[in-house]
Every structure is written in structure tokens, then in C-alpha cells.
Amino acid sequence: MTAWVRGGVQGVGFRWFTRAAALRTGGLAGFVSNLGDGRVQVVAEGRRNRCEQLLEWLRTGDTPGRVDGVTEIWDRPRGGYSDFAIR
């Protein structure tokens, strides 16, 4: 799953909290990174129900900053991630 989070999500610890949520969910690998247009990109691979848990947290969880919206796409896992990283 790749998700793009819009709002006031840069410079507020959002990536750190997203990584912590992914680790808490368990079984996820991927990364979270800031984009040049102010959004945050989240790439998560693992069981679909765990990706859905992370997506739900992104939308409704106790996130830092202000989330105005989340858009996601689903695709086959590509692999290559050994953990969940901040980029």
C-alpha cells in the first residue's frame, strides 16, 4: 500500500509517529518520507489487514499535525524492505 497524507504533516514529528504506529501494528515493512509538495508518503508492505490498520491510524488516529486527507493505492508487494524506516 502506498498512501499520501495531506495537511500540516511536515515538521511536526509525523514521520516518527507513523513509523512507531507501523512498528506497533507489527508485520509491516516499508518507509515514510516527506515530499516536496508538503505531503507525506507512506509505503507499507505486509498483510492487508495490517496495512489497513495503519491506514486507519493515518486517517483517524492521534497523529501529530493536521491530516486533511489520505489517498491510497494498493499493489502487489515489491519487497526490498527489511524494516520500517524514516527517509
Side-chain angles (χ1 to χ4, degrees):
M1 174 204 64
T2 301
W4 296 273
V5 184
R6 300 178 309 281
V9 290
Q10 289 191 12
V12 293
F14 192 88
R15 291 178 299 158
W16 188 91
F17 276 89
T18 300
R19 179 178 181 269
L23 295 176
R24 226 179 10 259
T25 299
L28 295 175
F31 66 89
V32 57
S33 64
N34 286 338
L35 298 176
D37 62 4
R39 295 177 299 162
V40 168
Q41 179 182 31
V42 181
V43 175
E45 294 187 351
R47 298 178 111 174
R48 186 175 180 110
N49 67 325
R50 293 182 186 231
C51 290
E52 288 171 344
Q53 287 175 11
L54 182 61
L55 186 59
E56 182 68 14
W57 179 84
L58 290 169
R59 288 192 166 120
T60 63
D62 185 20
T63 61
R66 184 191 77 254
V67 174
D68 292 337
V70 180
T71 303
E72 85 279 355
I73 59 170
W74 295 88
D75 201 355
R76 290 185 174 268
R78 296 186 178 134
Y81 307 114
S82 59
D83 59 3
F84 203 93
I86 296 174
R87 292 188 178 172

